[in-house]
Amino acid sequence: MSVDTTPQAPATPSPAAANNMSRLAFRMRDYGIVAALVIIVIALSLSTDTFLTSGNLVNLLDQTAVLGLLATGATICIISGVFDLTASATLALSAIVGVQVGRVTDVYVGFAAAVLAGALLGFITGTVVVRSGVNSFVGTLATSLVYRGLAVMVTGGAIVYPLTQYAESFGVLTWPSLFGLTSATIMFVVVVAVLAVIVSRTTFGRRLYAVGGNAEAARLSGIRVGSIHVTAFMISGVCSALAGLILASRAGSAQSTMATGMELTAIAAAVVGGTSILGGEGAVWRAIVGALLLTLIGNGFNLLGWDTIYQQVLQGLLILFAVTMDRWLRKRTR
Amino acid sequence: MSVDTTPQAPATPSPAAANNMSRLAFRMRDYGIVAALVIIVIALSLSTDTFLTSGNLVNLLDQTAVLGLLATGATICIISGVFDLTASATLALSAIVGVQVGRVTDVYVGFAAAVLAGALLGFITGTVVVRSGVNSFVGTLATSLVYRGLAVMVTGGAIVYPLTQYAESFGVLTWPSLFGLTSATIMFVVVVAVLAVIVSRTTFGRRLYAVGGNAEAARLSGIRVGSIHVTAFMISGVCSALAGLILASRAGSAQSTMATGMELTAIAAAVVGGTSILGGEGAVWRAIVGALLLTLIGNGFNLLGWDTIYQQVLQGLLILFAVTMDRWLRKRTR
Amino acid sequence: MSTQKAPSIAVRGVGKSYSGVTVLHDIDLDIAPGEVHGLVGENGAGKSTLLKILGGAIKADAGTLSFDGEQVSIGSPRDAIGHGISLISQEGALVPALSVLDNVFLARWSHRGGLVSARADRKRLTGLLETTGFSVDPDVRVDTLPIGVQQQVEILRALARGARVIAMDEPTAVLAEHEKENLLALIRRLAASGTTIILVSHFLEEVLSVADRITVLRDGALIRTGPAAETSPRALVGHMVGREIDVLYPDPRPVPDGSPVVLAARGLRRGLVDGVDLEVRSGEILGIAGLVGSGRTETLRLLFGADRPTAGVVEVDGVALTSNTPRAAMAAGVAMVPESRKEQGLVMQRSVAENVALSSLSGRRSGPFVKRPAEKTAVGEISKSVDIRAANPESPIETLSGGNQQKALFAKWLLRDPKVLLIDEPTRGVDVAAKTQIHHLITGLAADGMAVVCVSSEIEELLALSHRVLVLRHGRPVGEYPRGTTPEVVVAAAFGDHSQGETS
Amino acid sequence: SNPNKDDAAGGAATAAPADKKLSIGFFGFAKANSFAQATWAGVQEYANANNAEATFLDSNFDGPTQVNQLQDAVTSKRYDVVIVQANDGTAMVNPVKQAVAAGITVVVEFTPVGGKYDTIEPQVPGTVNIIDPPTVNGDGLAKMALEGCKTVTDGACKVAYFQGFANYPLDTARTEAAIKALKAGGAAEVISNFVGGYTPDSGRGAMQNLLQAHPDVNVVIGSSQALQGATPLAAGKKITFVGNGGSTQAYDFVAKGTWFGTYAMPEKAQGAKAAELGIKKARGETVPEATDACSTLTDYACLGTKDKLAGKTADYSD
Ligand SMILES: Nc1ncnc2c1ncn2[C@@H]1O[C@H](COP(=O)(O)OP(=O)(O)OP(=O)(O)O)[C@@H](O)[C@H]1O
Ligand SMILES: Nc1ncnc2c1ncn2[C@@H]1O[C@H](COP(=O)(O)OP(=O)(O)OP(=O)(O)O)[C@@H](O)[C@H]1O
Ligand SMILES: [Mg+2]
Ligand SMILES: [Mg+2]
């Protein structure tokens, strides 16, 4: 994935040295959470001999893929100033659509249908939120109930499977591929890289930040705040659909309860990465750092063989450590 | 519960008629969500003959008690500009403390210990958030993992019970009391009424709103922003502990997984009631309206006996209806 | 700037009301192409409302707009921008977390196939900076900039859009004297090149000097439009308030001999502020002058404990403050009216009354409860004495006009009855009449024995009010001038030229 | 003192005549859950055949929702018999008491109502239990795993136990029982710090990590859903599995020999049995208060190894 816009040489030729110094501090400050991640990686590498094996790194990325995609969608929404609590319901509903369409056509057509469904559901969520004028938190919460309900209605509460002749190719996303990484990992990396470029380099990306940072200022500048939000929800919907396909491909089936509650883990990952829930700030790479950090902690515990009874406490403390470190580095250089 | 500050007669005797008109509109606008609640109540009274029975109303309040307490805590935190995602973990941990202390002393001492534990945990959460300077969303999320983990450690992952000789009196909160309401309901109503008065009538309440509305302006007005936040977390902690006692008293036991995820339903109730997640606005009565609305919808479905497959969808649509109606009434008169 | 000719604007029968209260009524106004049109009126007269309607920020309830005789509908800012109208709003419309560069070209970024080209924008910005004479670092986040500079960013943005009509709502309110001059010169240049400018300002001299014609609004109605050359400040004020009033600066009462030093600071340092010493006696008004970014605001904040100094002490009545926090300063009797009412002063969504009462809550309580009748009386009295015009003290303070918000901020601190009053830009956005009221208020407070430190970018005001003026440059005091010093001398000192004046 | 107590006694159900159509409320885990659907199928089938009508109340895996549903059902007096498949066994104690007090016949199915996980006896007086206590379940899993050890190793056997939800009391009780039985039965090492959860995805993650930390593991125990995600990762390795659950997929794995066995409850039969107990009791017949589901409904105590399951079909799929 790409890293945020690097500041270019200053236009004003003012005190250059001091400027460079402060530019450096400015960078450091922005990467506190990466430092925390690195510290945890080093600690794990030193305390286990299994952590830094290529096998484990392949696993780690595979395990991060679903959360990473959802966290990216969440981050894009949060940057633009909205929450998308429909993420996991959209995931389930589009995966179900993917499987059902796949039954009457073909696995890959089914996959495409799932992605389309994700975009469509995102469009609906966005339209509901924008039109009703309701706060996105409660608007998407209500919408997510509707989507979950629809998922139950579509499946009749049962699990849906691809046709037997397709069962194997449906598992395509779990297959190893480039550099031994799973196809799911490759898809995740590619999608996230594309989204990172969109967010950090395009005019759409800038509008996203502007809308999230000061919606009124954005409106006064002629930005269609509503359509930016709808687009953000659509991107989030597509991310959810892709995550849903990974989960379905792994399970070989889809059902209406898939990934329940995961929208919150995704938001948590986004925020742990350093995206402000107030909107107007953040970056796609932060979502990935957050998702990696959360996955890593779980992975580390497993490798260390610690008793699950202490896991949660330590997990909480580690997250606190990481975000506090991030916070302090930022404050000191302000 | 008490209703928010009613605007008094104007200080300036300017255009009186227009003023009164706008005052009326102003009030209406604030009670859109109440209107939505009333509509749903009327619909339910007409469509079932069991809804408007005293037995059902007693149940309804009893069912609202836990969510209502949590939503009140959530509202107070949100008004002051923070989220408390530890609510349900605090609930579990303090209920466990209550049971365990009750084992070695007496049921009522145990209850008191639970409330103290709630306040203490709130104090710790608040201190962590304020000191670390981390955004409350992720700070309390991490803290809640720690609390849940501690609850597991304290109980060893098992259920804890009061001693057999206390088992009956431990159920005290489920007993009927004044006007046939359960003790839990009475406690809930009293606590919420007290908190409503605190928030709307005291200097602390004023500071709460100021801190949530503009923390910097509040600080420059001599308000200790940090201690207001800590106090808000403590109040939320006490609300959680009381909710925990109700749940424990009903179950006759406590365990580390109690009320998992309920902090979000509580925030949802707060927001459905009309409290803005941006802080600086909202009221305790709104928490109650929100909690009642959510409970009512469930209760209505159960009484109507509709196929549960459509419940979620209709629930989502009803919530959307209520908040949109609230929103539109507000906008029209702006 | 613009390639297209500016249109002539015709406003017909425009009206607007909020929940039944009329704030603009049946406005008819014609503006010629390339004209500089001044718009003046008391706080709450409806100036901003009219501008917002032109800029598409809000919709009128009644009336029509036409450009070059053709009726247009402006339903959104997009439409307005499409017609070449750019609004610089009073509240500011910057995106805090974005850089200067991104804010200047907000929604108009140079791009190639959707990818933003920062290099092209940088070049455009350099050009704009040259035309305007502003100097801003393109890469800093705008929320780290002083408001004066933020204002410049907004102006740059309007220019970057190549607007044919620029509506400026009090653009000079937050600028220092020499920057005002720059801006006025810029306005003249723009007008000469065919851009229409609508200028709202409370500085009547300024409007008179730059505008071709001036319109006066009062209570939402258009009182009169006429050539600037045919009117005078006095006449304008008469139209604005509907009666003759005295707008002369009051003279502060001389500081009594032997009046004790109330506030003293030694060796204050932090960031930009590099060793400030000062003393203020009871009954004295100390003015602090300097350029934007000279550290005036920083100094006041250090005195109040809003920021913690890295070195130095602040003493009140000879006793060092126990800690460098606003609370400690307030306990010692210090109060500060901050520079930015939106960010530092007011809780926008709360009511006028709550805001005014906020810093003195403990003074009116019984037990934990707010004594509401006492509060109502206190707020009512103070509101009257600073003349806050609010339809309802219970309505959110964000619905007040800018000037009235400023008065509420003042009222909030006066309710504490402080010994020392620190004021940063006391009359920013306040109309002439109210300004005079505030000036009388300040001199009156000093006469009653309060020690006042006042920062103002309005040099005339500062010199008229102060017993003494301290000039800061790069965070260091570079001169102190007694009452009667001319503006030229002080400005020269602020620029680092000492040849004209004597340090007293 | 507790006024509840008095009416609790007064609620003894009066027998319903045989020609009265009885109404059954089934309070299942979730409609969107195939296990609960299997129970439901059993309930429905028996009810329809015996002059009764059944309704599925969907709590969607939410404890508090289920509590409210049962409470409201008591208010609305819609059901003569309720069958409770509790999400949160302790939280359901109170509404179940209310239901009993209101004269409703209550059958507790699969998971206990009350906090004891090692007994089949009813924990709320007046109810009828047909359950599979978690400790019995844990013992059974351990028993099969120890058998399975023999198929993959002649030496010391290393067994991994994937927990369901980390530290849920019900899971804890099952985990503890299994670990105890494994150790007592001579397993060389028991690894229990992995959370496999109840989805293929969480199982896959746990298995990936397990293979990193303990590549030499011999037997893995986990929920049938978790193992479904875990199994492909063990391809080519000498590892066998013991699943918890009798789904189609689990049956297939056992039949293919990929898994040594699975803990297979004939869930539809259990649902039917629950309905039978409820209807009979409501009609005034005497029924046993406590039924152990596995030993009553199967002749192999739910220990579904290849030979035991041969020729049988699963009631539901994961
Ligand atoms: N959103 C709103 N809701 C209610 N009243 C409003 C709102 N916005 C403005 N007003 C009222 O409209 C009137 C005109 O306000 P406006 O901002 O146009 O005044 P102004 O002439 O720009 O004053 P100032 O010089 O103080 O900026 C004021 O009485 C103000 O309180
Ligand atoms: N042109 C500029 N570009 C960037 N930063 C600036 C500029 N001018 C001033 N600053 C910053 O402003 C801060 C000091 O401003 P301060 O508010 O104390 O000055 P001031 O004299 O009160 O100015 P103002 O009139 O805007 O309030 C410093 O942090 C300084 O670096
Ligand atoms: Mg204005
Ligand atoms: Mg300043």
Side-chain angles (χ1 to χ4, degrees):
Chain A
M1 72 233 80
S2 118
V3 164
D4 218 4
T5 334
T6 344
Q8 311 273 314
T12 38
S14 51
N19 223 317
N20 278 347
M21 273 291 286
S22 83
R23 199 71 39 96
L24 194 73
F26 171 83
R27 284 195 194 177
M28 285 260 305
R29 157 193 126 189
D30 271 7
Y31 297 109
I33 193 70
V34 178
L37 183 71
V38 168
I39 291 178
I40 295 178
V41 166
I42 293 177
L44 282 175
S45 311
L46 294 179
S47 54
T48 69
D49 42 0
T50 40
F51 181 78
L52 259 195
T53 57
S54 71
N56 192 51
L57 296 181
V58 166
N59 282 350
L60 199 60
L61 280 173
D62 189 51
Q63 289 168 15
T64 310
V66 170
L67 183 57
L69 279 167
L70 292 178
T72 302
T75 297
I76 290 174
C77 285
I78 293 174
I79 288 177
S80 82
V82 290
F83 287 101
D84 183 6
L85 298 182
T86 67
S88 76
T90 301
L91 182 159
L93 196 46
S94 16
I96 289 168
V97 168
V99 172
Q100 299 290 56
V101 171
R103 285 180 72 93
V104 292
T105 54
D106 164 62
V107 169
Y108 294 95
V109 176
F111 281 13
V115 173
L116 268 181
L120 181 69
L121 291 172
F123 177 79
I124 297 173
T125 313
T127 309
V128 165
V129 168
V130 169
R131 286 288 147 114
S132 70
V134 160
N135 175 286
S136 65
F137 189 91
V138 59
T140 57
L141 189 88
T143 313
S144 82
L145 285 177
V146 176
Y147 291 174
R148 280 268 177 220
L150 286 177
V152 176
M153 283 166 62
V154 170
T155 57
I159 302 177
V160 293
Y161 299 90
L163 296 178
T164 343
Q165 69 261 41
Y166 295 141
E168 198 189 326
S169 57
F170 190 75
V172 57
L173 291 175
T174 65
W175 298 348
S177 141
L178 246 61
F179 317 119
L181 298 168
T182 59
S183 308
T185 306
I186 305 285
M187 181 176 89
F188 157 58
V189 170
V190 169
V191 169
V192 167
V194 169
L195 288 176
V197 169
I198 289 179
V199 169
S200 68
R201 295 261 189 274
T202 65
T203 53
F204 167 74
R206 292 294 153 86
R207 291 195 161 87
L208 212 57
Y209 283 98
V211 167
N214 185 344
E216 182 60 10
R219 189 180 76 93
L220 290 178
S221 299
I223 295 176
R224 289 204 192 87
V225 176
S227 43
I228 297 292
H229 278 149
V230 171
T231 315
F233 279 114
M234 285 176 74
I235 295 178
S236 170
V238 170
C239 288
S240 299
L242 293 172
L245 286 177
I246 297 179
L247 287 179
S249 178
R250 286 186 191 158
S253 63
Q255 54 179 342
S256 57
T257 55
M258 283 170 88
T260 316
M262 216 185 233
E263 68 279 10
L264 290 158
T265 322
I267 293 176
V271 182
V272 165
T275 292
S276 154
I277 52 163
L278 303 178
E281 290 177 77
V284 168
W285 67 263
R286 293 193 174 279
I288 306 310
V289 170
L292 267 175
L293 203 90
L294 295 187
T295 313
L296 203 64
I297 295 177
N299 177 275
F301 274 112
N302 285 335
L303 298 186
L304 285 168
W306 287 351
D307 192 335
T308 46
I309 224 165
Y310 308 110
Q311 274 200 18
Q312 271 187 308
V313 173
L314 279 167
Q315 239 171 46
L317 292 177
L318 273 178
I319 296 175
L320 265 184
F321 156 77
V323 290
T324 307
M325 176 164 163
D326 184 39
R327 174 75 206 167
W328 282 8
L329 277 179
R330 292 201 206 196
K331 210 160 59 181
R332 261 219 336 216
T333 49
R334 265 276 158 89
Chain B
M1 71 233 86
S2 118
V3 165
D4 215 5
T5 334
T6 344
Q8 309 273 316
T12 37
S14 51
N19 223 318
N20 278 346
M21 273 289 287
S22 85
R23 195 78 35 96
L24 194 72
F26 173 80
R27 283 196 193 176
M28 284 260 305
R29 157 192 127 189
D30 272 7
Y31 297 108
I33 194 70
V34 178
L37 183 71
V38 168
I39 291 177
I40 295 179
V41 166
I42 292 176
L44 283 175
S45 312
L46 295 179
S47 54
T48 71
D49 41 0
T50 38
F51 180 78
L52 262 195
T53 57
S54 71
N56 189 52
L57 296 181
V58 165
N59 274 355
L60 197 62
L61 280 174
D62 190 50
Q63 288 171 11
T64 310
V66 170
L67 182 57
L69 279 167
L70 291 178
T72 301
T75 297
I76 290 174
C77 284
I78 292 174
I79 289 177
S80 83
V82 289
F83 287 101
D84 182 6
L85 299 181
T86 67
S88 76
T90 301
L91 180 159
L93 194 47
S94 11
I96 289 167
V97 167
V99 172
Q100 299 290 54
V101 171
R103 286 180 73 91
V104 292
T105 54
D106 165 64
V107 170
Y108 294 95
V109 177
F111 281 14
V115 174
L116 268 180
L120 182 68
L121 291 172
F123 178 78
I124 296 174
T125 313
T127 309
V128 166
V129 168
V130 169
R131 286 287 148 116
S132 70
V134 160
N135 174 287
S136 65
F137 190 90
V138 59
T140 58
L141 190 87
T143 312
S144 81
L145 285 177
V146 175
Y147 291 173
R148 280 269 176 217
L150 286 177
V152 173
M153 283 166 64
V154 171
T155 58
I159 302 177
V160 294
Y161 297 90
L163 296 178
T164 345
Q165 70 261 40
Y166 295 142
E168 195 190 325
S169 57
F170 188 76
V172 56
L173 290 175
T174 64
W175 298 349
S177 142
L178 243 62
F179 317 118
L181 298 169
T182 60
S183 308
T185 305
I186 304 286
M187 182 176 87
F188 156 59
V189 170
V190 170
V191 169
V192 166
V194 169
L195 287 175
V197 170
I198 289 180
V199 169
S200 67
R201 297 263 188 270
T202 65
T203 55
F204 167 75
R206 288 292 174 80
R207 296 193 167 109
L208 206 63
Y209 283 104
V211 167
N214 185 342
E216 180 62 7
R219 187 179 77 92
L220 292 181
S221 302
I223 296 174
R224 286 203 197 92
V225 175
S227 40
I228 296 293
H229 279 150
V230 171
T231 313
F233 279 114
M234 285 175 73
I235 294 179
S236 169
V238 170
C239 288
S240 300
L242 293 172
L245 286 177
I246 296 179
L247 286 179
S249 178
R250 286 186 193 155
S253 63
Q255 59 184 77
S256 58
T257 54
M258 282 169 90
T260 316
M262 216 187 231
E263 67 279 10
L264 291 158
T265 322
I267 293 176
V271 183
V272 166
T275 293
S276 153
I277 54 164
L278 303 177
E281 290 178 84
V284 168
W285 68 263
R286 291 192 175 281
I288 305 311
V289 170
L292 266 175
L293 202 90
L294 295 187
T295 313
L296 203 64
I297 294 176
N299 176 270
F301 276 111
N302 294 341
L303 296 185
L304 286 168
W306 285 353
D307 189 339
T308 44
I309 219 163
Y310 308 112
Q311 268 202 22
Q312 272 188 308
V313 172
L314 278 168
Q315 239 170 44
L317 293 177
L318 271 178
I319 295 175
L320 267 183
F321 156 76
V323 290
T324 307
M325 174 163 163
D326 183 37
R327 175 74 207 167
W328 283 7
L329 277 178
R330 292 201 206 196
K331 209 160 60 181
R332 261 224 331 220
T333 50
R334 265 271 158 93
Chain C
M1 279 282 98
S2 54
T3 44
Q4 271 177 290
K5 200 171 110 12
S8 65
I9 301 168
V11 175
R12 288 288 170 272
V14 161
K16 176 77 187 171
S17 54
Y18 284 108
S19 21
V21 182
T22 307
V23 299
L24 267 190
H25 177 64
D26 201 13
I27 303 291
D28 289 338
L29 181 62
D30 289 288
I31 299 173
E35 174 183 354
V36 178
H37 197 100
L39 193 56
V40 298
E42 281 188 289
N43 291 136
K47 306 180 294 293
S48 299
T49 307
L50 182 56
L51 254 53
K52 283 183 193 160
I53 290 171
L54 284 174
I58 56 176
K59 279 184 212 150
D61 300 338
T64 59
L65 298 175
S66 31
F67 287 167
D68 286 334
E70 202 175 312
Q71 193 171 320
V72 295
S73 97
I74 296 185
S76 71
R78 262 182 102 77
D79 297 343
I81 294 171
H83 287 110
I85 308 174
S86 202
L87 171 67
I88 299 175
S89 66
Q90 190 174 6
E91 295 84 32
L94 297 176
V95 183
L98 287 185
S99 68
V100 168
L101 192 68
D102 283 336
N103 266 291
V104 169
F105 299 106
L106 194 64
R108 296 286 178 288
W109 301 283
S110 312
H111 60 94
R112 210 174 302 131
L115 289 185
V116 175
S117 160
R119 183 168 309 173
D121 280 345
R122 218 172 279 276
K123 222 187 253 154
R124 284 163 76 195
L125 181 61
T126 314
L128 285 175
L129 290 175
E130 265 162 27
T131 20
T132 54
F134 296 160
S135 107
V136 209
D137 180 348
D139 292 314
V140 296
R141 282 169 57 132
V142 289
D143 59 357
T144 63
L145 293 173
I147 3 188
V149 184
Q150 292 186 4
Q151 180 69 51
Q152 298 182 345
V153 175
E154 300 227 26
I155 294 167
L156 289 169
R157 173 152 78 203
L159 297 179
R161 287 185 188 150
R164 297 182 292 154
V165 180
I166 303 180
M168 301 185 178
D169 201 349
E170 305 195 27
T172 54
V174 297
L175 296 184
E177 211 66 30
H178 73 284
E179 292 171 327
K180 279 183 200 166
E181 285 309 322
N182 278 346
L183 181 66
L184 295 184
L186 180 65
I187 290 176
R188 286 192 194 97
R189 265 182 284 144
L190 287 171
S193 70
T195 310
T196 303
I197 308 278
I198 306 172
L199 176 69
V200 171
S201 174
H202 289 296
F203 299 107
L204 302 180
E205 311 279 356
E206 187 180 294
V207 181
L208 283 166
S209 81
V210 74
D212 299 312
R213 292 191 305 151
I214 298 177
T215 292
V216 181
L217 291 183
R218 188 202 310 154
D219 293 336
L222 194 151
I223 298 301
R224 150 197 167 169
T225 300
E230 289 169 16
T231 187
S232 67
R234 210 179 166 76
L236 284 178
V237 172
H239 292 302
M240 282 161 58
V241 297
R243 66 197 140 88
E244 290 286 301
I245 61 155
D246 194 2
V247 293
L248 292 178
Y249 287 108
D251 265 329
R253 187 190 296 175
V255 186
D257 284 335
S259 169
V261 171
V262 184
L263 177 78
R266 295 183 223 300
L268 279 189
R269 251 171 248 276
R270 179 198 167 96
L272 184 77
V273 178
D274 186 20
V276 170
D277 297 307
L278 55 79
E279 278 189 356
V280 196
R281 292 192 288 156
S282 165
E284 187 183 31
I285 304 173
L286 173 69
I288 299 184
L291 304 179
V292 168
S294 58
R296 299 163 303 174
T297 296
E298 279 275 286
T299 303
L300 278 202
R301 287 175 61 87
L302 292 177
L303 289 173
F304 188 60
D307 299 317
R308 206 176 292 266
T310 48
V313 282
V314 177
E315 287 172 4
V316 177
D317 289 335
V319 184
L321 291 183
T322 48
S323 69
N324 293 107
T325 59
R327 285 180 67 80
M330 284 167 67
V334 186
M336 180 176 80
V337 175
E339 181 175 38
S340 155
R341 52 181 175 255
K342 198 164 128 197
E343 267 87 44
Q344 301 150 3
L346 301 173
V347 186
M348 283 299 184
Q349 65 269 53
R350 303 311 299 173
S351 71
V352 179
E354 263 188 65
N355 270 285
V356 171
L358 190 63
S359 65
S360 52
L361 281 175
S362 329
R364 291 175 306 274
R365 64 190 170 96
S366 64
F369 296 102
V370 177
K371 273 197 210 150
R372 302 213 293 172
E375 180 173 293
K376 222 179 106 187
T377 318
V379 170
E381 278 171 8
I382 200 78
S383 302
K384 206 180 234 163
S385 76
V386 300
D387 194 23
I388 300 175
R389 311 253 172 100
N392 177 359
E394 297 298 335
S395 57
I397 203 159
E398 64 191 344
T399 62
L400 256 58
S401 75
N404 279 308
Q405 289 177 5
Q406 181 70 16
K407 291 186 218 164
L409 187 55
F410 227 87
K412 163 172 145 178
W413 287 105
L414 292 184
L415 262 190
R416 282 190 65 83
D417 202 4
K419 266 190 267 187
V420 179
L421 184 61
L422 312 172
I423 318 170
D424 205 349
E425 309 291 357
T427 56
R428 181 169 281 174
V430 167
D431 70 40
V432 257
K435 200 179 245 180
T436 308
Q437 285 172 342
I438 289 178
H439 292 154
H440 278 105
L441 199 72
I442 294 173
T443 49
L445 293 168
D448 292 344
M450 200 180 284
V452 179
V453 183
C454 179
V455 167
S456 175
S457 298
E458 225 181 296
I459 195 78
E460 304 281 353
E461 171 182 88
L462 196 70
L463 291 175
L465 283 180
S466 311
H467 293 100
R468 228 168 4 117
V469 172
L470 185 73
V471 180
L472 291 187
R473 179 170 167 71
H474 295 324
R476 227 174 270 157
V478 290
E480 202 175 286
Y481 300 89
R483 195 170 169 72
T485 311
T486 60
E488 291 73 26
V489 173
V490 172
V491 171
F495 272 103
D497 175 4
H498 286 271
S499 55
Q500 291 196 35
E502 264 305 293
T503 305
S504 68
Chain D
S1 79
N2 180 1
N4 270 344
K5 222 173 144 185
D6 312 320
D7 36 296
T14 44
D19 55 350
K20 183 190 170 226
K21 186 158 188 146
L22 289 176
S23 162
I24 301 180
F26 171 55
F27 293 75
F29 292 142
K31 266 210 163 142
N33 172 257
S34 57
F35 182 86
Q37 286 287 352
T39 325
W40 169 231
V43 170
Q44 220 177 2
E45 213 172 275
Y46 187 88
N48 291 344
N50 290 277
N51 193 25
E53 184 186 40
T55 312
F56 191 145
L57 288 103
D58 183 4
S59 59
N60 202 20
F61 289 117
D62 190 48
T65 301
Q66 202 172 39
V67 169
N68 291 351
Q69 281 175 335
L70 185 50
Q71 215 172 34
D72 292 338
V74 174
T75 306
S76 71
K77 303 191 172 66
R78 187 163 276 127
Y79 309 108
D80 308 301
V81 176
V82 301
I83 298 173
V84 176
Q85 197 173 51
N87 289 310
D88 180 344
T90 54
M92 286 297 277
V93 169
N94 215 39
V96 163
K97 273 187 193 155
Q98 285 175 13
V100 171
I104 298 170
T105 305
V106 181
V107 182
V108 174
E109 195 262 359
F110 190 60
T111 50
V113 164
K116 285 196 214 122
Y117 293 131
D118 53 359
T119 171
I120 58 165
E121 295 304 320
Q123 297 172 47
V124 177
T127 58
V128 175
N129 266 15
I130 167 157
I131 63 170
D132 177 33
T135 52
V136 175
N137 182 194
D139 281 337
L141 290 169
K143 208 175 279 173
M144 279 189 284
L146 290 167
E147 288 289 314
C149 277
K150 295 176 197 150
T151 66
V152 285
T153 171
D154 341 310
C157 188
K158 197 165 175 180
V159 183
Y161 181 96
F162 286 173
Q163 300 183 27
F165 291 127
N167 303 311
Y168 267 58
L170 189 145
D171 280 301
T172 307
R174 179 166 52 216
T175 308
E176 278 173 3
I179 294 172
K180 207 167 131 213
L182 283 168
K183 289 197 169 139
E189 192 180 340
V190 182
I191 305 145
S192 63
N193 69 311
F194 288 77
V195 178
Y198 294 99
T199 65
D201 195 56
S202 50
R204 178 182 163 90
M207 191 69 186
Q208 285 175 337
N209 296 339
L210 176 71
L211 289 176
Q212 279 300 319
H214 304 278
D216 54 342
V217 68
N218 302 114
V219 180
V220 181
I221 307 173
S223 71
S224 59
Q225 300 95 325
L227 292 195
Q228 208 185 313
T231 307
L233 298 173
K237 299 195 172 66
K238 224 171 160 3
I239 297 177
T240 196
F241 295 89
V242 172
N244 192 17
S247 64
T248 323
Q249 288 84 349
Y251 274 49
D252 281 352
F253 281 119
V254 174
K256 273 188 275 174
T258 325
W259 295 5
F260 174 76
T262 194
Y263 193 86
M265 165 72 68
E267 187 50 32
K268 193 175 159 195
Q270 188 173 201
K273 186 76 186 170
E276 180 191 332
L277 291 169
I279 290 173
K280 282 188 174 155
K281 182 163 187 216
R283 300 216 192 275
E285 290 180 41
T286 325
V287 296
E289 266 193 357
T291 307
D292 178 36
C294 275
S295 57
T296 312
L297 302 171
T298 68
D299 53 6
Y300 47 91
C302 292
L303 304 184
T305 49
K306 191 171 176 176
D307 51 327
K308 294 282 174 357
L309 294 185
K312 298 195 172 67
T313 49
D315 288 340
Y316 65 98
S317 52
D318 285 333

